[in-house]
């Protein structure tokens, strides 16, 4: 509490007291004018000021973006150090996660050499080991309602299962799925899905796949360097066709136009070899009421 005695408009000193004990602190205040006698000789409480800390601005979480490159893994140590250091710096500049794919024993050596001479550098990389990259193309936005075939979710998932089981029988490796699409919102709903392979392995798309957010040019470049297998779900998509044709593995699966309700192309007049390379594999449902995807016989 503060006891103040004022006379007229002069300035006086006030003493702070509390619970019968004097507080050794004095403050000078401007006295209240004498024409307001009702306020003279009263005790006024001191209200402490609240020192509020300014709120820190909320920083939005950046989306996960990745950067990879076709490393010269069979080169020698000097090249390795230049590549890895510059690769990391470029990724930082672009706010992307540097991703290192181990495809051969040379990549293992490259990582070991770099870690020995620059400890901690490879800790900033996403290391993908013994992995086959399956690229899935899904086109929807301008195809819906136009007569072009747009595959439903069940077909996409069943086709992915078919492709992975067939390829895994040949390579027996881990698979990472990369989605290329014009409808990322739709594809995000697929990431909550799981399916079981013949060997009992459960494929969890949320942990084993990514959605590419690159533009068309970068998507084609990525496919040419990294896509071992491509699944084209919208068979009329010319972009999907080129994504498969220019892919690294040129191992392409596509929805068979002869077995879908596509109003823009009469099935009886369609020869798939006029449009698709003969070594590509067409896929379709197993039959009416059969949700299993199988290979079409040409």
């Amino acid at each position: 509490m503060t006891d103040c005695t004022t006379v007229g408009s002069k300035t006086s000193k006030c003493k702070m007291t509390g619970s019968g004990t004097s507080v050794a602190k004095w403050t000078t205040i401007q006295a209240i004018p004498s024409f307001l006698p009702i306020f003279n000789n009263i005790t006024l409480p001191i209200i402490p000021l609240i020192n509020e800390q300014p709120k820190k601005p909320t920083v939005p979480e950046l989306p996960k973006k990745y950067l990879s490159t076709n490393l010269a893994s069979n080169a020698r140590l000097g090249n390795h150090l230049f590549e890895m250091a510059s690769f990391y710096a470029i990724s930082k500049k672009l706010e992307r996660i540097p991703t290192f794919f181990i495809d051969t024993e040379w990549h293992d050596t490259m990582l070991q050499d770099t870690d020995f001479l620059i400890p901690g550098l490879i800790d900033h990389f996403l290391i993908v080991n013994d992995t086959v990259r399956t690229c899935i193309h899904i086109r929807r936005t301008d195809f819906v309602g136009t007569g072009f075939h747009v595959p439903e979710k069940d077909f996409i998932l069943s086709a992915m299962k078919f492709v992975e089981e067939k390829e895994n029988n040949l390579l027996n490796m881990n698979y990472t799925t990369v989605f290329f699409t014009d409808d990322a919102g739709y594809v995000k709903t697929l990431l909550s899905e799981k399916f079981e392979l013949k060997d009992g392995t459960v494929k969890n798309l949320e942990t084993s796949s990514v959605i590419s957010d690159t533009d068309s040019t970068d998507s084609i470049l990525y496919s040419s360097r990294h896509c071992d297998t491509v699944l084209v779900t919208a068979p009329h998509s010319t972009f999907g066709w080129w994504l498969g044709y220019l892919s690294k593995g040129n191992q392409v699966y596509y929805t068979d136009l002869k077995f879908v309700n596509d109003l823009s192309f009469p099935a009886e007049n369609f020869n798939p070899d006029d449009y698709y390379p003969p070594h590509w594999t067409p896929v379709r449902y197993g039959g009416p009421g059969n949700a299993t995807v199988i290979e079409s016989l040409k």
Side-chain angles (χ1 to χ4, degrees):
M1 303 292 289
T2 303
D3 293 331
C4 302
T5 302
T6 61
V7 178
S9 60
K10 295 182 180 180
T11 300
S12 64
K13 291 185 177 180
C14 299
K15 184 177 182 181
M16 299 177 63
T17 61
S19 303
T21 303
S22 297
V23 180
K25 184 175 181 180
W26 293 82
T27 182
T28 301
I29 65 172
Q30 181 69 34
I32 299 173
S34 57
F35 59 82
L36 295 176
I38 190 171
F39 293 109
N40 288 329
N41 300 318
I42 63 173
T43 300
L44 300 175
I46 292 180
I47 302 175
L49 295 177
I50 300 175
N51 185 19
E52 294 185 353
Q53 296 295 328
K55 294 182 179 180
K56 294 182 179 180
T58 302
V59 180
E61 184 179 354
L62 294 174
K64 287 186 177 180
K65 298 181 180 180
Y66 302 86
L67 182 68
S68 63
T69 181
N70 190 21
L71 297 165
S73 59
N74 60 342
R76 300 177 70 176
L77 180 60
N79 299 79
H80 292 172
L81 297 179
F82 269 117
E83 278 195 310
M84 294 296 287
S86 58
F87 185 13
Y88 173 66
I90 293 171
S91 299
K92 289 269 291 182
K93 181 70 174 179
L94 298 177
E95 296 182 338
R96 299 196 174 207
I97 300 173
T99 307
F100 189 101
F101 292 100
I102 299 178
D103 290 330
T104 67
E105 61 182 13
W106 294 106
H107 290 91
D108 278 321
T109 302
M110 186 175 186
L111 281 181
Q112 293 170 13
D113 290 346
T114 303
D115 192 40
F116 179 76
L117 290 171
I118 312 179
L121 177 59
I122 66 172
D123 295 339
H124 298 280
F125 285 73
L126 172 63
I127 309 297
V128 182
N129 192 9
D130 294 334
T131 299
V132 173
R133 285 164 294 284
T134 301
C135 299
I136 313 295
H137 179 251
I138 299 174
R139 181 168 176 175
R140 287 180 51 82
T141 55
D142 59 341
F143 274 14
V144 175
T146 62
F148 290 150
H149 174 67
V150 178
E152 65 275 11
K153 180 176 70 174
D154 290 342
F155 179 85
I156 294 172
L157 295 173
S158 188
M160 290 175 61
K161 177 180 178 180
F162 170 82
V163 170
E164 186 157 333
E165 286 179 339
K166 184 168 183 178
E167 293 298 313
N168 199 35
N169 286 337
L170 301 175
L171 299 174
N172 193 27
M173 299 178 74
N174 297 322
Y175 281 78
T176 293
T177 301
V178 181
F179 287 101
F180 294 92
T181 182
D182 61 347
D183 193 347
Y186 173 80
V187 174
K188 285 179 181 178
T189 65
L190 298 178
L191 299 188
S192 61
E193 299 291 338
K194 301 177 183 179
F195 55 82
E196 185 175 349
L197 303 175
K198 290 180 180 178
D199 62 1
T201 302
V202 176
K203 181 80 171 186
N204 185 347
L205 294 182
E206 187 174 9
T207 58
S208 63
S209 62
V210 294
I211 302 174
S212 172
D213 61 353
T214 57
D215 59 25
S216 300
T217 302
D218 287 341
S219 296
I220 292 290
L221 290 174
Y222 180 92
S223 180
S224 68
R225 295 291 187 271
H226 301 296
C227 290
D228 299 289
T229 306
V230 174
L231 170 62
V232 181
T233 63
H236 255 116
S237 172
T238 52
F239 178 76
W241 191 95
W242 283 109
L243 198 73
Y245 186 77
L246 296 176
S247 62
K248 172 188 173 184
N250 199 12
Q251 184 69 22
V252 182
Y253 297 81
Y254 64 94
T255 305
D256 194 339
L257 267 172
K258 301 192 303 295
F259 293 90
V260 297
N261 186 22
D262 193 300
L263 303 179
S264 63
F265 216 128
E268 62 274 9
N269 297 327
F270 175 67
N271 181 3
D273 288 340
D274 291 339
Y275 190 62
Y276 303 105
H279 66 279
W280 287 14
T281 304
V283 295
R284 62 179 177 87
Y285 275 135
N290 186 351
T292 302
V293 167
I294 62 174
E295 179 179 348
S296 292
L297 297 178
K298 294 185 179 181

